[in-house]
Amino acid sequence: EVADVNRRCRKSSVLNRIATFRVLAILRQWISRQSQDFVSDRELRWNVRDLLEEILQNNTLPSNERKLAQSIMAVVVGEEPEWSRDHSMHLEAILRLPESPSEENFDSLRAVDIAEQMTYLDHQLFLAIRSEELLGQAWMKADKAARSPHVLLVSKRFNEASRLVVCEIVSRTSVQDRISCIEKWAAIADICRLVQQCRYQCLNNFNGVLQICAAFVTSSVYRLRKTWEKLPKQTRQTIERLQFLVSSDQKFKNMREALHTSVPPCIPFLGMYLTDLTFIEESTANFTDTGLINFSKMRMIARVIEEVQYFQGTHYKIEHRPRVSLYLLDPSRLMEDDQTFNCSLEIEPRTTRSSVTSQVT
Amino acid sequence: MSNKPTNSALSPKSYQYKLVLLGESAVGKSSLVLRFVKGQFHDYQESTIGAAFLTQSVCLEDATVKFEIWDTAGQERYHSLAPMYYRGAHVAIVVYDITSQDTFSRAKTWIKELQRQASAGIVICLVGNKIDLADKKMVETSEAKAYADENGLLFMETSAKTATNVTELFIAIAKKLPKNESTSHSGQMRRGIELNATPQTDSQQTGCCK
């Protein structure tokens, strides 16, 4: 009987040991891969610290486990990682606008410089997104400004960049000027996609390509038939190729494929992930009928967020050049949709055909 | 992807249309879609929902109508992207929440934009969702119906939650769509800039979806 008790004790101690080891391994993985969770949540850090203390109090803890627990403890009670706060200050600095409008303009800047700084800004914003901003459709809730500030910043920047492209095109009164302008934006989009000269790395800025392509199909620009007709065939082909790449067909199938075959750094279009997450959130419940956590759903959410994190993990070798980025950020260049549409009507008035269309609608 | 009519007199012709959903966030756009395409979706099944492309067919007496559904749920704040979605769409469903006047105003703004900027033949459908919350109703049926009539829109009140009027909605749209070669899949599903596209003739009268 004593032997039986001994055997059971040994068995339970082995089980305990395995359980402890697994808990520690998960903790280590959590801390190394999701350090931001511990930055933003003090209570979580305290709880983990208490748990580790309890584990370490066990005198029979094998030395490997002890070492592991101690190394995790060092991270948890150590200095608060500063990068998170640093990055938001850095972001604030690069987005800060000067008192006066920027001195540079679209014509004074080179296409490659504009493309690089667009990519720089897009990437800095993309890096700032914290994973928890993507949980529970936070960016769509009433308190979105507090819960998903960087998701909102990314979409705001997207709209502004697109509007800048539209404004530049419709503010030119001569057809030739508009053609040159479209050609240059097409070149910028093309550079955002791929630069092959060895001096530059591939930008793979799919978000940037989409910002520009979206501007081309905005009504104010799309309707400028005289301009599009005279656009050189080569430019037209470039635009078609880029539009194919970022087409929303089949939930951005082409962009997804390109993203998965490109070598990072890449900037994906965040909206694609927001739609994926919305569908996952709404298609199944968080809990099963029996009250268990729906792990299958959580894994699907995790997979989307992991992809975002994957693209946050590689950085560009682009330097910030305020001279160029301030041109891109300058709000004084932007007009409202109604204004750009009026500009568009002024530079190319409605033809009989389009006035028929407007009567129909 | 073939939409060629088959030779057999017994097989109905099949048509494919691009359908886009617009509306404020949280009005239930994706719930409507999910309800409509149910069957394709299996709860708790680990599939790549993100990449899953949403299509669903409606069978009418004389034809099968297949919808390719482009949902913008989650992307409501990317306003500059909207033209990319509705350009070339055959159908736009503009959804509001019957318990919120704000979402109804936003729906009207969407309709104005569509009428000015989308292709001329687009079928626009105004949908008041969440009628299961009738006691919290803020947008009167008569008000929305009158607006829809004035603007030549299809109109329906639905509940994605209880499935009320969801299938009916898509059947009404399928009936309303023109069934001829020039408006079938191959004719209009182009992407990109189509500069020399001839405008579609607006032969379709409104209100024929009995």
Side-chain angles (χ1 to χ4, degrees), chain A residues 139 144 159 217 219 222 228 243-244 248-249 251-252 269 271 275-276 279 282-283 294 296 299 303 361, chain B residues 30-31 43-44 46 50 70-71 73-75 77-81 84-85 87 115 117 191-193 195:
Chain A
W139 70 94
K144 52 184 172 278
N159 293 333
V217 294
S219 302
Y222 186 79
W228 288 110
Q243 279 180 322
F244 180 74
S248 54
D249 273 18
K251 295 198 165 186
F252 297 98
F269 166 55
T275 300
D276 292 353
F279 263 82
E282 291 187 14
S283 62
N294 183 355
S296 151
R299 264 194 293 270
R303 207 174 297 152
T361 61
Chain B
S30 36
S31 306
D43 281 3
Y44 314 129
E46 228 169 306
W70 294 26
D71 188 3
Q75 288 176 35
R77 300 187 71 86
Y78 284 89
H79 191 254
S80 68
L81 206 57
M84 204 155 163
Y85 282 105
R87 191 152 319 280
Q115 287 177 328
Q117 320 207 346
R191 63 173 82 76
I193 292 169
L195 295 167

Side-chain angles (χ1 to χ4, degrees), chain A residues 124-166:
Chain A
Q124 294 303 316
L125 285 165
F126 186 72
L127 284 182
I129 299 165
R130 294 188 312 266
S131 301
E132 65 263 29
E133 295 187 42
L134 300 171
L135 293 172
Q137 292 171 283
W139 70 94
M140 290 158 80
K141 303 288 191 233
D143 54 353
K144 52 184 172 278
R147 284 171 67 194
S148 298
H150 302 101
V151 171
L152 301 190
L153 265 181
V154 167
S155 54
K156 179 171 172 272
R157 178 72 214 129
F158 186 99
N159 293 333
E160 285 171 357
S162 270
R163 261 166 68 203
L164 176 66
V165 179
V166 173

Side-chain angles (χ1 to χ4, degrees), chain A residues 244-311:
Chain A
F244 180 74
L245 175 73
V246 296
S247 153
S248 54
D249 273 18
Q250 305 193 29
K251 295 198 165 186
F252 297 98
K253 180 170 175 276
N254 300 339
M255 196 200 300
R256 283 179 205 267
E257 276 174 14
L259 270 170
H260 296 153
T261 52
S262 302
V263 179
C266 298
I267 308 175
F269 166 55
L270 182 70
M272 184 170 85
Y273 299 121
L274 300 182
T275 300
D276 292 353
L277 289 168
T278 303
F279 263 82
I280 297 168
E281 293 283 2
E282 291 187 14
S283 62
T284 63
N286 285 343
F287 294 93
T288 65
D289 299 336
T290 48
L292 298 172
I293 292 174
N294 183 355
F295 263 90
S296 151
K297 174 178 179 173
M298 302 307 151
R299 264 194 293 270
M300 284 195 274
I301 293 172
R303 207 174 297 152
V304 176
I305 295 178
E306 270 167 11
E307 191 165 319
V308 173
Q309 289 174 342
Y310 171 71
F311 290 119

